[in-house]
Amino acid sequence: MDFYLPVKPKECSYRVQARQVEFSIKKQGPEFWPRLIVAQKKPHWLKIDFDKWQDEDEDEPRQHKEDFGDVGPFDEARGRKMVERQEKQESMNFKLRYIFVYNLFQFVGFTTIFCTLFIRYLYYGERAVTTAFETIGSQLVLTQLLTYLEVIHPLLKITKGGALAPFLQVCGRNLVLILIIATEPRLQGQPVVFWLFLVWSLSEIFRYPYYMLSSLELEWYAVTWCRYTTWTVLYPAGFACEAMVILAAIPMFEETQKWTLALPNVWNLSFTFPAFLRMYLLLLFMPACWFLVQHMYKQRKAKLGPFQRKKRMKKTQ
């Protein structure tokens, strides 16, 4: 481990317990450490001994009873701090477990969708292309509806990051999947729908393992590289397929008048769904695609940029 500041190795000690190994690390200087190691995220196996925790404004460290005898009960404020820390740690552990289970469920779901489409294509060829929605449509609708949770998570501070990028991506995909493809049977047999589903599921297969590892405070470079590199091909392909689906759907919805509200009606309002799709392509879809590409590029630069590569090389040496 890279400690936050230099330590005195000869004055460090450890003790093997039944359930853990306790370490006593002697600092080289009197400076206050806000954390033990340089990295912001601590390893999942590293725990804090709150009985010996010392805040920056405390004059003397606390002593553990079994090591130094009974030093009397903690004062009320200090005990309250300990309880708050423990509750915060328990809450954090619950969030991490929930995020791991959610990402695991989505990973299994999208992996099943991709494998089903790919294997059926190998066996049945063109027939698998025209029956893609019939085969995995309901499962894809379920997994895509669950992605709305990724908009809620940052709003509730369950995960870091903003809600705008996932909101744009989730709403755009569900518009195409639920309001367009699922309601127009003639569109479901189009080859572009098969390729769209294949691209969507493949992009998620690379995305969710990264989030699963992050919830465990782990990082594997291969998984991180795939997460922040494969999008450069899959996102443009997905955008192109979505645009082709919308363009193909416009004349079909002009014929069926599905989702169109015509006058007269109770609300005295009119809404033309094909006109909305045209406006969506011009005013919302293209800017949203550009925003998502810029967002992913910035994230990739932060994760896999020159600084991070040099840092890894130094650690390897």
Side-chain angles (χ1 to χ4, degrees), residues 117-178:
L117 292 173
F118 185 72
I119 293 173
R120 281 180 58 84
Y121 180 75
L122 294 179
Y123 274 89
Y124 302 109
E126 188 64 25
R127 181 185 169 190
V129 174
T130 57
T131 59
F133 185 84
E134 179 184 348
T135 305
I136 51 86
S138 58
Q139 185 176 351
L140 185 59
V141 168
L142 173 62
T143 52
Q144 282 298 141
L145 285 174
L146 285 176
T147 55
Y148 276 110
L149 292 173
E150 298 176 26
V151 182
I152 300 174
H153 290 161
L155 296 177
L156 298 180
K157 305 299 182 183
I158 297 177
T159 59
K160 298 179 181 179
L164 180 58
F167 174 79
L168 292 174
Q169 186 174 38
V170 170
C171 289
R173 285 188 178 184
N174 284 326
L175 169 67
V176 173
L177 175 63
I178 298 173

Side-chain angles (χ1 to χ4, degrees), residues 240-289:
C241 290
E242 289 177 31
M244 293 172 63
V245 169
I246 294 173
L247 290 173
I250 290 176
M252 296 181 184
F253 281 98
E254 285 178 339
E255 179 183 341
T256 62
Q257 294 296 299
K258 183 73 174 179
W259 307 119
T260 294
L261 184 64
L263 292 172
N265 55 64
V266 178
W267 300 279
N268 197 30
L269 296 172
S270 64
F271 174 77
T272 306
F273 190 60
F276 165 77
L277 292 180
R278 291 189 180 95
M279 297 295 290
Y280 171 76
L281 273 177
L282 291 175
L283 302 180
L284 291 176
F285 181 76
M286 297 303 294
C289 292

